[in-house]
Amino acid sequence: MTLLTRTKFSFLNFLKRTYIYLVLLLIYIPMIIIIIISFNGQTNKGNINLNFGVPTVVNYVLLFKDSDFLNALFNSILLAICVAPISVFIAIITCFGIWNNKNIKAKAVMGITKVSIVNPDIITGISLSLLFISSFLPIGINLGFFTVLLAHISFCVPYAIIAIYPRMQKMKVNLINASYDLGYSKISTFFHVILKYLMPSIISALIIVVSLSFDDFVITNLVNGSFSTISTEIYSARKGIKAWVVTFGAITIMITFLIVLINLFIKRKDKK
């Protein structure tokens, strides 16, 4: 074996052993940098200080005194709280209807759902904006919270359907028939049997919808009017990276890391 061959073989072995760690570094280094920079303090204009010095928590202290941030955070949370139950409820009803009609109509509904997901956000946002402001449609809606709410529901429902329907497919008709035999009405069966069976998927759908609503910018920016959310407020600060943006991002990353670690700890404990 020549020196060149041995070198190539050793390099390939090195890549096989370390490539996953290199990928993880590329993913997590930017997140770690945000956390570190969040302790740098801020300039007189409220921008993040990029010069490393003595760590300080002043950004975290001032974060909850920033009126722009608090207003945007409140709006985002309020929007997510409103969007999540409505979207998931519509998705549950839709999935139940599809499950009851296992024919070409059901396939058509699922196909339309997937098209909505694949469709670019910018196109969805423009179409919704035109719908809300067009003079030839007698809607009469001013751009603001209500239009953002309708827009978020429109793009969150397909994701909720995708999250819930696979479990709905596994539900047996005998489960519902047994409920009827025990004296439950259709409404009681829906709330006490079907919803309980779908609960794991419903929780997943709620998490997905809240994340999508809280994070969306493109569609929100096209239909929000003067209504601001975290994403639109961050974009408005694009001329200078505001300290609250970096601090909020650092808090979000640390909370996410904590949830993942707790989840891993619980799973490891369950295995033991």
Side-chain angles (χ1 to χ4, degrees), residues 214-271:
F214 196 86
D215 184 61
D216 181 74
F217 166 73
V218 176
I219 297 175
T220 303
N221 192 52
L222 290 168
V223 299
N224 66 334
S226 60
F227 182 79
S228 64
T229 62
I230 284 292
S231 59
T232 58
E233 194 65 30
I234 289 175
Y235 181 76
S236 67
R238 63 192 181 278
K239 292 182 180 179
I241 303 176
K242 296 295 182 181
W244 72 262
V245 174
V246 176
T247 308
F248 177 71
I251 291 175
T252 304
I253 292 170
M254 287 188 284
I255 291 175
T256 304
F257 280 161
L258 182 62
I259 292 173
V260 171
L261 290 174
I262 292 173
N263 186 44
L264 290 174
F265 176 77
I266 293 173
K267 286 185 176 180
R268 181 172 293 183
K269 191 175 180 180
D270 290 341
K271 287 182 180 180

Side-chain angles (χ1 to χ4, degrees), residues 45-191:
K45 294 183 179 180
N47 295 336
I48 191 69
N49 185 1
L50 297 178
N51 296 319
F52 291 94
V54 179
T56 175
V57 294
V58 65
N59 290 339
Y60 292 86
V61 174
L62 296 176
L63 177 64
F64 295 99
K65 295 180 181 179
D66 191 306
S67 59
D68 292 337
F69 164 73
L70 292 176
N71 181 58
L73 180 63
F74 174 79
N75 289 342
S76 295
I77 293 174
L78 176 63
L79 187 64
I81 289 174
C82 294
V83 169
I86 296 173
S87 300
V88 172
F89 177 75
I90 294 173
I92 292 171
I93 299 300
T94 305
C95 289
F96 186 68
I98 296 172
W99 181 79
N100 270 333
N101 298 277
K102 296 177 181 177
N103 49 36
I104 189 64
K105 293 181 180 179
K107 292 181 180 179
V109 172
M110 292 304 296
I112 293 171
T113 298
K114 292 176 182 178
V115 169
S116 299
I117 293 175
V118 174
N119 192 47
D121 284 352
I122 187 67
I123 303 301
T124 302
I126 291 172
S127 63
L128 288 168
S129 179
L130 291 174
L131 174 66
F132 294 143
I133 67 176
S134 58
S135 58
F136 59 87
L137 289 175
I139 297 178
I141 301 175
N142 294 323
L143 297 182
F145 172 77
F146 189 61
T147 55
V148 176
L149 176 66
L150 292 177
H152 280 221
I153 291 172
S154 71
F155 73 76
C156 284
V157 167
Y159 288 94
I161 291 173
I162 295 297
I164 294 172
Y165 187 64
R167 185 165 179 84
M168 179 70 80
Q169 279 185 305
K170 297 178 182 178
M171 189 172 66
K172 304 297 182 182
V173 179
N174 293 337
L175 184 65
I176 295 176
N177 292 335
S179 176
Y180 293 156
D181 291 339
L182 292 172
Y184 280 93
S185 65
K186 290 184 177 181
I187 295 177
S188 298
T189 298
F190 180 78
F191 284 101

